[in-house]
Amino acid sequence: MWTKLVLFDDINNHAGWSGCYWVLYEPRKDLKFGTNGFGDMNLILTYLDSEVSPSAKTMDDSANEISKYGKIHNPQLISKLISYGLTNNNGDILFPVIKKQQDRFHQIIEKLVDSISSELKNNCSNIATQYDISEEKTAMVILYHEVMWYLMDNLIQDKVLHIPAVYKDPVQNKQRLNEVVFFIEGGLMQ
């Protein structure tokens, strides 16, 4: 989605991440999740609380090992990842790898991305003006997140999706972090 809306380098760069903060008068009561990308933006973690994951360095090192070997070779790294359910004792990764290819999955995703990004672009300048947001790119980031969260709420309510266990109880279900991690061959920005 981001390559169709705004590129990470086009918005504010902070130590270790790009994006913006925004505050709403009425805080959102439902899920508020985001994503962090590691390595060359190929290891992706969807999170509610960024404290419930290995360190950014561990995730970057993992992304680099997966890119290089297709698994984790470093024994110290394996020992850090096992408790999160991200790898087994052999270093085999225990989360999805998404390959760039022309299959049904990618065709559906492409249609969704095109449809959502087109609607957001068509409405973003109105939102920026209406809410006195100085930069349209910032308005785009905000609007995308609000729309994404609304869509996810509806998909969960309609039982199309379920809330991953690690979001319900991060301490008890730490070993199920693999349910919200995926790896994209070639990186997110392809």
Side-chain angles (χ1 to χ4, degrees):
M1 182 61 77
W2 289 117
T3 59
K4 302 277 184 166
L5 295 176
V6 291
L7 297 177
F8 295 115
D9 292 342
D10 292 342
I11 37 184
N12 297 334
N13 287 306
H14 306 280
W17 67 282
S18 296
C20 61
Y21 290 104
W22 70 95
V23 179
L24 302 176
Y25 177 72
E26 290 292 329
R28 182 175 171 75
K29 291 180 176 83
D30 294 317
L31 293 175
K32 302 176 280 280
F33 46 84
T35 54
N36 282 339
F38 302 95
D40 292 325
M41 296 301 293
N42 52 9
L43 181 59
I44 309 299
L45 165 67
T46 302
Y47 67 91
L48 280 174
D49 179 351
S50 57
E51 300 295 316
V52 184
S53 66
S55 70
K57 180 181 180 343
T58 297
M59 295 298 280
D60 280 330
D61 292 347
S62 299
N64 294 333
E65 290 235 342
I66 296 166
S67 291
K68 200 176 201 176
Y69 308 114
K71 63 186 286 181
I72 307 296
H73 274 268
N74 181 322
Q76 289 82 22
L77 199 51
I78 291 171
S79 69
K80 290 178 186 178
L81 299 174
I82 285 177
S83 65
Y84 293 96
L86 297 176
T87 187
N88 63 18
N89 289 325
N90 297 324
D92 300 317
I93 56 175
L94 304 176
F95 49 84
V97 172
I98 300 171
K99 299 177 184 213
K100 184 71 173 176
Q101 54 193 4
Q102 288 302 316
D103 59 7
R104 188 75 180 125
F105 170 77
H106 283 84
Q107 291 168 352
I108 292 169
I109 295 303
E110 193 65 30
K111 283 181 185 178
L112 287 169
V113 166
D114 288 344
S115 175
I116 293 169
S117 63
S118 175
E119 283 300 313
L120 290 174
K121 286 177 184 176
N122 290 338
N123 290 292
C124 196
S125 60
N126 297 341
I127 298 293
T129 304
Q130 182 178 352
Y131 291 99
D132 197 26
I133 299 170
S134 59
E135 294 184 24
E136 193 170 308
K137 290 176 182 174
T138 300
M140 182 72 72
V141 172
I142 294 169
L143 181 59
Y144 170 68
H145 279 84
E146 294 297 330
V147 168
M148 173 187 65
W149 292 332
Y150 177 77
L151 287 172
M152 294 303 291
D153 287 345
N154 285 333
L155 291 170
I156 290 167
Q157 180 182 334
D158 293 346
K159 297 184 182 350
V160 174
L161 299 176
H162 69 280
I163 299 172
V166 71
Y167 291 171
K168 293 177 185 175
D169 187 341
V171 175
Q172 189 72 21
N173 295 305
K174 173 183 162 181
Q175 78 285 0
R176 293 179 67 181
L177 189 68
N178 62 351
E179 295 175 3
V180 295
V181 172
F182 57 96
F183 185 88
I184 302 173
E185 282 189 354
L188 183 64
M189 302 309 284
Q190 60 180 321

